[in-house]
């Protein structure tokens, strides 16, 4: 009995290691999902791998190539069911079968209809033992929520992040918002930025705050980073693997997300660091562009700016076209960082999937709420959130909840 318990403990440890690798690859693989793989032989880890940027090797192949001949008779732990179809790379199932790996442990079924059980079936038909670790599928779900929405609904996953006072204000009546939360919360937001593909603000936020929207972990005092390294901040409520990893894991590799402005600002300086540091896109309605630029007949560069014209009405009516453009550009996760009106439009369009609210122990008395939306009239019509978690970060409080729970498919 003790041996069986020990084996289970080791299996759990290997899969958790694979999940940490997957978390580490978030923000670097879109539109492919971030996957982690660990190869174990005779109880010893012989290789690990994480999914490379789109078009390059998946996690399983990276690990197999690193393990070489050690794969024969080994076991693989992989966070997502291996793919079995030809895309930009060959099927991972073929690589596993050809490597001599005897057993594959999988954390969660791939939601992609091209896989969704077929990958596991291909392995079994080839004589590879397949074991689904259902006890860790909820942890895997915290990583693959964005991929599930992207692959099934052809839309990116949208996170609404807001920093606010305890009475729910993201700025005072004058628009002042620096800084509502502490350096510790802001450091965590920079870690969050490293895990998304794009950050969205409105033109008023751009003009008022002059944000860079880059990942700048190195700009914070060492005591702030050390606070997170100590790992003393627990996740309460649902044990959310993404939040736990965001709090405790070092961000070792990242790329700055694409910076999105909704609405062409009236004043733009090309010396602004916003435009000189990374990719950007500005969305503006075609009628506005036609009035401002006689040559603005289609998508293209306007005085060095990447501008995408929007057709139709404003507000929530423009969100479907914006989401379609995001998907076409390969964005899997988008972060709403500024503008109550912008966030309200995404909310009214039903396109906010995750709410992450940072609460500071301050009282404003008035000011701007996190969402300026049409909203609803009755409490029974309000949006109930699911899989709720809480974090107490020193004297601040973080709330995290999802529009939908992750429905698991079982084999």
């Amino acid at each position: 009995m003790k041996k069986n318990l020990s084996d289970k403990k080791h299996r759990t440890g290997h899969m958790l290691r694979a999940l940490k690798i997957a978390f580490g690859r978030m923000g670097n693989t879109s539109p492919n999902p971030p996957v982690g793989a660990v190869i174990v032989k005779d109880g010893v880890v012989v290789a690990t791998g994480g999914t490379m940027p789109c078009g390059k090797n998946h996690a399983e192949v990276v690990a197999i190539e690193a393990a070489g001949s050690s794969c024969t008779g080994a076991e693989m732990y992989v966070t997502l069911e291996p793919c079995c179809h030809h895309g930009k790379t060959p099927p991972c199932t073929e690589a596993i079968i050809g490597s001599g790996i005897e057993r594959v442990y999988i954390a969660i079924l791939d939601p992609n209809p091209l896989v969704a059980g077929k990958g596991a079936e291909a392995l079994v038909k080839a004589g590879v033992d397949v074991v689904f670790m259902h006890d860790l599928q909820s942890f895997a779900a915290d990583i693959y929520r964005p991929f599930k929405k992207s692959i099934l609904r052809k839309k990116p996953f949208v996170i609404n992040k807001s920093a606010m006072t305890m009475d729910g204000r993201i700025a005072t009546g004058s628009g002042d918002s620096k800084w509502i939360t502490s350096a510790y919360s802001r450091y965590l937001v920079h870690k969050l930025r490293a895990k998304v593909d794009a950050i969205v603000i409105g033109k008023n936020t751009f003009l008022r705050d002059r944000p860079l929207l880059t990942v700048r972990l190195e700009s914070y005092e060492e005591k702030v980073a050390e606070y997170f390294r100590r790992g003393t901040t627990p996740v309460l409520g649902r044990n959310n693997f993404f939040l736990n990893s965001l709090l405790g894991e070092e961000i070792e590799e990242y790329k700055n997300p694409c910076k999105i402005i909704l609405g062409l600002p009236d004043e733009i300086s090309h010396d602004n660091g916003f435009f000189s540091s990374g990719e950007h896109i500005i969305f503006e309605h075609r009628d506005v562009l036609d009035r401002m630029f006689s040559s603005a007949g289609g998508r293209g560069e306007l005085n060095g700016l990447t501008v995408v014209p929007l057709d139709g009405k404003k507000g929530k009516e423009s969100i479907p076209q914006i989401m379609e453009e995001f998907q076409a550009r390969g964005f899997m996760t988008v972060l709403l960082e500024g503008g109550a009106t912008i966030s309200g439009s995404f909310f009214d369009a039903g396109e906010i999937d995750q709410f992450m609210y940072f609460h500071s122990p301050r009282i404003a008395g008035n000011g701007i709420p996190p969402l300026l939306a049409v909203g609803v009239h009755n409490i029974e019509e309000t949006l109930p959130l699911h899989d709720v978690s809480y974090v107490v970060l020193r004297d601040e409080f973080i709330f995290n909840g999802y529009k939908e729970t992750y429905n698991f498919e079982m084999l």
Side-chain angles (χ1 to χ4, degrees), residues 295-321:
S295 62
R299 180 181 309 158
E301 302 290 326
L302 295 175
N303 296 328
L305 302 179
T306 303
V307 180
V308 175
L310 293 174
D311 300 308
K313 298 180 180 178
K314 300 181 180 181
K316 74 172 185 178
E317 303 298 331
S318 65
I319 301 303
Q321 186 179 349

Side-chain angles (χ1 to χ4, degrees), residues 97-215:
I97 293 166
S99 72
I101 288 173
E102 291 186 350
R103 176 176 295 167
V104 177
Y105 291 93
I106 301 171
I108 197 168
L109 198 70
D110 192 330
N112 186 346
L114 294 176
V115 186
K118 301 180 183 71
E121 183 181 359
L123 293 175
V124 171
K125 284 184 176 179
V128 179
D129 190 20
V130 173
V131 179
F132 276 87
M133 297 181 68
H134 297 301
D135 55 331
L136 291 178
Q137 65 180 356
S138 65
F139 280 9
D142 293 331
I143 292 177
Y144 295 120
R145 289 174 187 268
F147 176 62
K148 185 174 184 179
K149 182 183 180 185
S150 177
I151 200 68
L152 294 182
R153 302 183 187 178
K154 308 304 179 187
K155 299 178 181 180
F157 188 87
V158 178
I159 303 172
N160 179 210
K161 186 281 300 179
S162 288
M164 64 189 72
T165 61
M166 289 303 293
D167 54 340
R169 303 297 171 178
I170 64 172
T172 63
S174 68
D176 183 39
S177 62
K178 291 187 177 181
W179 296 101
I180 289 178
T181 53
S182 71
Y184 296 89
S185 286
R186 298 199 302 275
Y187 183 85
L188 192 62
V189 170
H190 279 263
K191 296 180 80 173
L192 176 62
R193 285 179 178 178
K195 299 300 171 186
V196 304
D197 300 304
I199 302 177
V200 179
I201 61 171
K203 66 177 182 180
N204 291 333
T205 298
F206 172 82
L207 292 172
R208 182 181 64 245
D209 297 340
R210 301 293 179 181
L212 293 177
L213 301 187
T214 53
V215 180

Side-chain angles (χ1 to χ4, degrees), residues 244-362:
N244 269 310
S245 300
L246 197 65
L247 288 162
E249 295 296 316
E250 294 280 347
I251 305 297
E252 297 179 350
E253 182 181 354
Y254 65 87
K255 59 181 179 64
N256 282 316
C258 183
K259 294 172 281 192
I260 311 294
I261 305 177
L262 300 189
L264 185 64
D266 297 331
E267 299 177 11
I268 292 179
S269 170
H270 289 274
D271 296 329
N272 188 311
F274 185 97
F275 299 106
S276 62
S277 56
E279 183 185 1
H280 74 274
I281 305 171
I282 301 175
F283 288 86
E284 184 55 274
H285 284 81
R286 192 177 298 276
D287 60 339
V288 175
L289 292 174
D290 287 343
R291 289 195 300 269
M292 297 178 66
F293 302 98
S294 61
S295 62
R299 180 181 309 158
E301 302 290 326
L302 295 175
N303 296 328
L305 302 179
T306 303
V307 180
V308 175
L310 293 174
D311 300 308
K313 298 180 180 178
K314 300 181 180 181
K316 74 172 185 178
E317 303 298 331
S318 65
I319 301 303
Q321 186 179 349
I322 293 170
M323 292 286 283
E324 183 178 341
E325 184 72 22
F326 287 166
Q327 183 75 9
R329 290 176 178 266
F331 299 160
M332 191 159 57
T333 307
V334 173
L335 180 64
L336 303 182
E337 267 219 30
T341 301
I342 298 298
S343 296
S345 294
F346 275 85
F347 177 80
D348 285 335
E351 294 295 357
I352 298 180
D353 303 287
Q354 180 177 355
F355 295 81
M356 188 179 292
Y357 285 175
F358 292 70
H359 295 266
S360 172
R362 301 172 183 269

Side-chain angles (χ1 to χ4, degrees), residues 8-25 34-41 43-51 59 63 66 76-80 105 107 133 136 139-140 143-144 241 245 249 252:
K8 182 178 180 180
K9 180 179 179 180
H10 287 140
R11 290 196 297 270
T12 298
H14 295 319
M15 185 59 80
L16 287 174
R17 182 170 179 176
L19 286 165
K20 288 182 179 181
I21 293 171
F23 171 80
R25 299 303 302 153
V35 177
V38 174
I39 297 176
V40 179
K41 188 170 184 178
V44 178
V45 174
V46 296
T48 63
T51 300
M76 173 180 281
Y77 293 78
V78 62
T79 55
L80 184 69
Y105 291 93
M133 297 181 68
L136 291 178
F139 280 9
I143 292 177
Y144 295 120
F241 184 82
S245 300
E249 295 296 316
E252 297 179 350

Side-chain angles (χ1 to χ4, degrees), residues 85-105:
H85 64 288
H86 285 269
K88 291 186 177 180
T89 59
C92 289
T93 51
E94 290 183 3
I96 293 170
I97 293 166
S99 72
I101 288 173
E102 291 186 350
R103 176 176 295 167
V104 177
Y105 291 93

